Amino acid sequence: MNETTFSLEVRPNIPPRLERLHDLANNLLYSWERRVRGLFYRLDQPLWEACGHNPKLFLRRVSQEVLEQAAEDRAFMEDYNRTLSAFDTYLEESPTDHIASYLDPERDLVAYFCAEFGFHESLPIYSGGLGILAGDHCKAASDLCLPFVGVGLLYRQGYFDQTIDNQGRQVAHYHPTDFTTLAVRPCMGEDGGELRVAVELPGRTVLLRVWEAQAGRIRLYLLDSDLPENSEADDRSITYQLYGGGTETRIQQEICLGIGGVRALRALGLAPTVWHINEGHSAFQVVERCRELVAEGHAFDTALEAVAGGTVFTTHTPVPAGHDIFEREMMETYFAGTAEALGIDLARFLALGENAVRNGAFNMTALALRGSRFHNGVSRIHGRVASEMEAGIWPQIPPYENPLRYVTNGIHVPTFLARGWGNLFDIQLRQWRNEMLNEDFWQVLDELPDHRYWSLRQSLKTEMLEGVAARAEHQFRRNGLSAAMIKRITRHVRQTEGDMLVIGFARRFATYKRAPLIFTHLEQLKELLNDPERPALLIFAGKAHPRDEPGQAIIHHIHELSLDPDFIGKILLLEGYDMALARLLVTGVDVWLNNPEYPLEACGTSGQKAGVNGVINLSVLDGWWGEGYDGENGWAITPHEPGFDPHYRDHEEARDLLNILSEKVLPLYYDRGKQGYSTGWVRKSKASMRTTIPRFNAQRMVMDYVRGFYGPARDQNARFMADGLKAAKELAEWKARVLDCWDGVWMQRQDEAPAAIRHGESLPIRVKAHLNGLSPEDVTVECLVTTDPDGDDPEAMERFALTAAEVAEDGNHVFSLDLEPHLPGLQYYKLRIYPSHPACSHPFELGRMVWL
């Protein structure tokens, strides 16, 4: 006889004195405000853990008795009221004059589109670094009181949960999410019902429900297609999984995000003045905004200029395979009607996504670059790499001068700073939250007594090891390991006597991140980890995409090594990598290891999260560490250039890594002296915090966007949208005219080029230019002076403009300059001509240039 089990949830009645717990649970501010989370933790710690740190779900399951006792507990109520006061004060703050000088909170709005947002483990709509960065960007925008909204998708299953079985195989688990347990609510339409927007897919229309989440002072709007009005077989599942399904699902998701996201903002009555495309997944928003303007009677090229002028695009991926590409046939199927609505033929539409890497395919990064005028990578090194990767967008411009700049990522410090540090700062550095951008302020860390600093670091390490042990034991029991074996594996994280150096490596298991690099020289590693006088422990965590077989092979390899008799207990591989585990590791390990294949680490923000907690980075000089390392705040592996044989490069960099560990890291850590702790280690750890907190925090990152991108994009958007798009129309027509003429433009030197002049003399330069129908006002003729003939640093070059002097007998224009060199000695100069227009957002945005 079959038995049926029914579920029943008995929900408590929240006492009136505690009714504002609902306000706290329904604002994602809890994801970065520790005091809010602490209230729920205090009520029922085991339930808080069982609910995945989800306060809304917690309030549905906490017992009535616990709530009633808390309402009568004076200490709890005092904490509750203080937290509410801080919560209300935070929400009521206004933008500073510094922000208002770039963005008007009454008239401006930044719309930030991203495929994933990583606010907290309780909102599982993120997979990794991109999502965590997007969440941190939103948190900092809230802290800075920006006029800002986020736009994304609400995934029914989100990204996968990971377990690792007893054979070392990653197992992906997808769990449907009950949206009523999330800090989101449906947006309501004018008719009083849930707001819907529609997007067109081949042969059908798909409806999207619009959800709203409050995150501090900002709003996040999320779309989902899991509606009864949509097809069960095809359309309800579009927004089920983040990065799930095949290419067909991916293009449908990106249509929903880009096109549906624009329509959702319009339906909500919001009018962004700056549009930020964070990675190429949402680039179809450019197409939709152009379609809106074409429907108003504007030509497509005019519409594109107007749209691009107010658009910022950030690329995060230095690996070509990481960019979304759709085949021509698929694009024809999905966008033939769109091209017609834009008033252009399909070939013109497909040209928006042309990329030199794969001719004929449609590249979403290329679309985003052509549909924006403000573009950036996410570190200084990545900005250079991205400029080279995408040089085809500006074919005649040297990559180092093209419009693709960089803003180095930063992390939201209050989210990832350990509770112990936060408490200490609140007591001794009361204004620390207001000093996030002040490097001088953080010199105060050097004044903290070394013994107290070391003690707090060790306390955080103990908390981390306890959490790691609990997770590891659960993992190994599920996999059927014996109690004796589990005890043997976890003996070093369970020990209370002595102290062992702990090295952490936790991130996505992509091959270019080279998690196994430290295993290249196994015998040397065995000696290092098992040194009885100076032992060390390696902790690994991370996920590989379910379709990434090489990444999953890395997990298997580490699992096998962790069971090797020489490594048992010295290498731990943890499953279930998420934000909670990340916070645990970055606050407690001693050394953060990062050894990507140079130059493929776009930024590497996990190292920043570790650094703000006093963890010391040991990293390849790639991504942010290329800017962050100063010789005192960690250790650096100098990378080999990409031209070297990969096996040779890995062999040598692995040797460098192990030598640094054995010759520098371990001796410094175990140099305890009479104090019982390493003063040298404390000094380097303090340097890690002191340099990382003010330079690599999310507020600095967002302010870089505000000053260098959002403000200029707002201004350009205002110019182009004024007077019926008059300026955009003029610029589009000018560009079309220049492109028609440019192939016939050439220059010729009209004077002798002396090899030397004396100090105080000038060098007369005369150049004849054939403009092929263009006027001198359409171009800039320029002389570049440098001391390095092979240099690629624009800041090291002096630029001098030549002026139109006369018209030669043959009708060509003569440009002249009396060059007065500012530097002595041997110098080099070059002459070039490029189209220029005062309405351009960047002097080289047209991508055309001729050198003499």
Side-chain angles (χ1 to χ4, degrees):
M1 182 177 180
N2 292 330
E3 296 181 355
T4 302
T5 300
F6 299 94
S7 63
L8 175 66
E9 185 177 74
V10 180
R11 301 179 183 177
N13 296 308
I14 307 296
R17 297 185 71 190
L18 297 176
E19 62 184 359
R20 293 202 63 197
L21 285 172
H22 286 299
D23 295 342
L24 300 176
N26 281 286
N27 190 317
L28 289 170
L29 180 63
Y30 73 74
S31 69
W32 72 94
E33 181 48 73
R34 188 174 292 107
R35 286 172 292 186
V36 174
R37 296 198 305 274
L39 288 177
F40 299 99
Y41 178 89
R42 283 183 59 182
L43 285 170
D44 188 335
Q45 179 183 351
L47 180 63
W48 176 247
E49 299 295 338
C51 289
H53 309 152
N54 181 335
K56 193 169 179 181
L57 179 60
F58 178 93
L59 288 181
R60 287 171 49 162
R61 296 186 178 174
V62 67
S63 76
Q64 189 72 42
E65 180 182 7
V66 165
L67 291 174
E68 290 175 355
Q69 288 177 352
E72 300 302 322
D73 183 331
R74 180 175 179 178
F76 181 85
M77 290 305 300
E78 287 177 353
D79 193 13
Y80 170 74
N81 288 322
R82 281 194 300 268
T83 301
L84 280 178
S85 177
F87 177 79
D88 291 335
T89 299
Y90 179 90
L91 295 182
E92 292 166 2
E93 289 181 7
S94 301
T96 64
D97 292 340
H98 187 56
I99 294 293
S101 65
Y102 296 98
L103 297 170
D104 183 343
E106 300 300 322
R107 295 190 299 174
D108 289 321
L109 180 66
V110 177
Y112 180 89
F113 281 60
C114 192
E116 50 175 303
F117 287 88
F119 280 89
H120 191 253
E121 61 269 18
S122 61
L123 184 64
I125 57 171
Y126 66 95
S127 71
L130 176 66
I132 308 302
L133 182 280
D136 283 4
H137 195 111
C138 293
K139 293 171 184 178
S142 173
D143 292 342
L144 293 166
C145 303
L146 294 191
F148 186 98
V149 295
V151 181
L153 298 178
L154 186 59
Y155 303 97
R156 178 64 68 178
Q157 296 180 347
Y159 204 51
F160 70 96
D161 292 333
Q162 175 207 50
T163 57
I164 299 173
D165 69 14
N166 58 11
Q167 299 298 312
R169 294 172 298 206
Q170 173 178 277
V171 182
H173 306 273
Y174 291 93
H175 304 291
T177 300
D178 178 359
F179 291 165
T180 66
T181 67
L182 304 181
V184 299
R185 54 186 171 272
C187 293
M188 309 308 289
E190 294 181 357
D191 61 359
E194 292 182 351
L195 183 64
R196 305 278 202 272
V197 295
V199 295
E200 295 75 32
L201 297 181
R204 64 199 192 276
T205 297
V206 174
L207 294 178
L208 302 169
R209 175 169 40 198
V210 185
W211 298 81
E212 179 186 75
Q214 186 173 357
R217 303 183 183 102
I218 70 160
R219 305 283 174 166
L220 178 66
Y221 294 103
L222 303 168
L223 311 176
D224 92 284
S225 66
D226 189 13
L227 296 169
E229 299 94 322
N230 291 328
S231 163
E232 180 76 37
D234 300 315
D235 299 332
R236 295 189 67 165
S237 62
I238 291 175
T239 57
Y240 273 9
Q241 294 178 4
L242 172 60
Y243 305 139
T247 307
E248 194 89 21
T249 299
R250 179 65 65 87
I251 195 172
Q252 292 171 0
Q253 286 185 344
E254 297 188 2
I255 289 170
C256 290
L257 174 59
I259 296 175
V262 173
R263 293 179 183 179
L265 294 181
R266 303 304 190 202
L268 291 163
L270 299 177
T273 51
V274 178
W275 302 73
H276 190 164
I277 302 172
N278 193 44
E279 198 58 288
H281 310 110
S282 59
F284 287 137
Q285 62 146 274
V286 170
V287 175
E288 172 63 10
R289 290 161 56 208
C290 286
R291 186 200 61 77
E292 292 176 330
L293 294 177
V294 170
E296 295 174 6
H298 302 286
F300 171 73
D301 289 336
T302 298
L304 183 60
E305 286 300 331
V307 164
T311 304
V312 177
F313 169 58
T314 301
T315 177
H316 294 258
T317 310
V319 184
H323 297 260
D324 282 338
I325 296 175
F326 302 114
E327 297 300 333
R328 179 186 179 92
E329 294 75 15
M330 179 175 286
M331 290 298 298
E332 291 177 352
T333 300
Y334 278 87
F335 286 98
T338 302
E340 184 178 351
L342 292 171
I344 57 178
D345 60 29
L346 191 59
R348 173 76 175 91
F349 178 84
L350 294 176
L352 295 171
E354 282 184 356
N355 181 278
V357 176
R358 281 181 59 184
N359 291 327
F362 193 93
N363 186 297
M364 294 295 285
T365 298
L367 170 63
L369 289 168
R370 292 191 174 97
S372 61
R373 292 292 175 262
F374 304 91
H375 340 275
N376 68 283
V378 292
S379 69
R380 183 174 60 207
I381 294 172
H382 177 238
R384 173 179 58 79
V385 171
S387 294
E388 294 169 354
M389 282 182 63
E390 309 302 339
I393 304 293
W394 308 279
Q396 295 178 344
I397 308 299
Y400 58 83
E401 283 192 288
N402 72 29
L404 215 162
R405 296 181 285 158
Y406 76 91
V407 172
T408 301
N409 284 342
I411 58 105
H412 190 254
V413 173
T415 296
F416 294 100
L417 190 69
R419 181 186 297 108
W421 289 120
N423 292 340
L424 178 64
F425 292 173
D426 286 341
I427 295 171
Q428 296 200 2
L429 315 174
R430 296 181 64 86
Q431 295 299 314
W432 70 274
R433 296 172 191 268
N434 299 322
E435 300 288 351
M436 296 301 297
L437 307 180
N438 183 357
E439 291 191 40
D440 291 338
F441 173 84
W442 292 98
Q443 300 296 321
V444 72
L445 288 171
D446 288 335
E447 299 174 11
L448 293 176
D450 284 359
H451 69 277
R452 185 174 183 184
Y453 185 97
W454 175 271
S455 177
L456 180 50
R457 280 286 312 139
Q458 295 303 97
S459 175
L460 294 172
K461 181 176 179 178
T462 298
E463 291 180 20
M464 182 272 298
L465 291 174
E466 289 173 352
V468 165
R471 283 174 172 263
E473 289 182 4
H474 172 78
Q475 175 179 332
F476 298 145
R477 281 198 303 269
R478 192 201 62 247
N479 284 339
L481 271 67
S482 68
M485 186 62 167
I486 293 174
K487 184 176 181 180
R488 185 181 176 193
I489 293 175
T490 61
R491 66 189 187 278
H492 295 299
V493 293
R494 282 296 191 192
Q495 67 179 11
T496 55
E497 73 284 352
D499 178 30
M500 180 182 294
L501 178 81
V502 179
I503 303 166
F505 184 106
R507 56 186 49 82
R508 183 163 52 94
F509 281 122
T511 53
Y512 75 89
K513 293 181 181 288
R514 297 194 300 182
L517 186 71
I518 197 169
F519 304 125
T520 303
H521 306 287
L522 277 179
E523 292 306 315
Q524 187 177 356
L525 180 63
K526 289 176 183 178
E527 293 179 8
L528 186 150
L529 295 183
N530 293 303
D531 184 333
E533 301 297 322
R534 303 184 310 191
L537 169 68
L538 274 170
I539 299 177
F540 287 88
K543 294 179 179 178
H545 190 280
R547 292 195 299 274
D548 180 5
E549 294 184 4
Q552 293 183 60
I554 291 173
I555 294 174
H556 178 76
H557 180 51
I558 297 173
H559 169 82
E560 291 294 306
L561 285 171
S562 72
L563 297 179
D564 183 293
D566 290 320
F567 289 129
I568 286 181
K570 293 299 184 70
I571 297 175
L572 283 179
L573 174 63
L574 301 177
E575 66 184 12
Y577 186 55
D578 63 3
M579 287 187 72
L581 179 53
R583 287 196 304 270
L584 188 68
L585 294 176
V586 299
T587 58
V589 302
D590 297 303
V591 175
W592 196 256
L593 180 61
N594 188 29
N595 39 243
E597 178 185 337
Y598 177 87
L600 301 183
E601 181 75 282
C603 185
T605 53
S606 66
Q608 298 172 355
K609 296 161 192 168
V612 302
N613 284 288
V615 176
I616 306 177
N617 277 272
L618 196 179
S619 176
V620 168
L621 286 171
D622 198 4
W624 81 281
W625 195 231
E627 302 161 54
Y629 175 66
D630 66 3
E632 302 297 328
N633 60 353
W635 296 277
I637 301 169
T638 302
H640 290 65
E641 291 298 323
F644 283 91
D645 174 76
H647 296 291
Y648 172 78
R649 176 203 62 211
D650 290 353
H651 182 278
E652 292 301 305
E653 291 180 17
R655 183 76 71 193
D656 290 345
L657 165 60
L658 291 170
N659 288 343
I660 290 172
L661 284 171
S662 62
E663 297 171 9
K664 297 181 179 181
V665 178
L666 286 161
L668 183 65
Y669 184 78
Y670 285 103
D671 182 16
R672 301 299 169 82
K674 296 179 181 180
Q675 304 90 343
Y677 62 88
S678 171
T679 56
W681 191 273
V682 170
R683 185 166 54 250
K684 193 172 284 287
S685 177
K686 285 182 176 180
S688 179
M689 293 186 78
R690 186 183 64 244
T691 57
T692 306
I693 290 175
R695 293 181 57 201
F696 298 100
N697 68 73
Q699 285 193 24
R700 188 277 308 156
M701 172 185 69
V702 171
M703 282 307 304
D704 284 353
Y705 279 109
V706 168
R707 287 188 289 258
F709 294 80
Y710 292 166
R714 185 277 306 267
D715 295 341
Q716 194 74 311
N717 178 74
R719 283 190 287 268
F720 284 172
M721 291 297 177
D723 301 324
L725 276 60
K726 179 182 177 182
K729 182 172 186 263
E730 290 176 352
L731 182 60
E733 291 174 346
W734 174 82
K735 286 185 175 181
R737 181 166 58 85
V738 169
L739 291 174
D740 282 343
C741 300
W742 194 253
D743 285 346
V745 171
W746 51 262
M747 290 192 302
Q748 186 178 75
R749 188 78 181 262
Q750 293 296 101
D751 56 76
E752 297 295 329
I757 60 173
R758 292 193 175 275
H759 177 75
E761 295 180 347
S762 63
L763 172 66
I765 299 175
R766 288 172 58 84
V767 173
K768 180 167 69 175
H770 177 66
L771 301 183
N772 198 33
L774 300 177
S775 71
E777 291 74 24
D778 293 324
V779 299
T780 292
V781 180
E782 194 170 63
C783 176
L784 266 61
V785 181
T786 179
T787 57
D788 181 2
D790 301 316
D792 60 359
D793 181 4
E795 295 183 2
M797 302 175 186
E798 290 188 281
R799 297 167 59 173
F800 302 89
L802 282 71
T803 58
E806 60 187 70
V807 178
E809 293 181 0
D810 59 4
N812 292 314
H813 293 269
V814 176
F815 292 79
S816 66
L817 167 69
D818 288 329
L819 177 65
E820 298 181 5
H822 296 160
L823 300 173
L826 184 61
Q827 299 169 56
Y828 304 88
Y829 65 98
K830 304 175 183 178
L831 299 167
R832 65 186 185 182
I833 183 172
Y834 57 87
S836 58
H837 191 285
C840 284
S841 306
H842 188 281
F844 305 138
E845 72 180 54
L846 199 54
R848 298 299 187 270
M849 182 177 286
V850 172
W851 297 82
L852 183 62

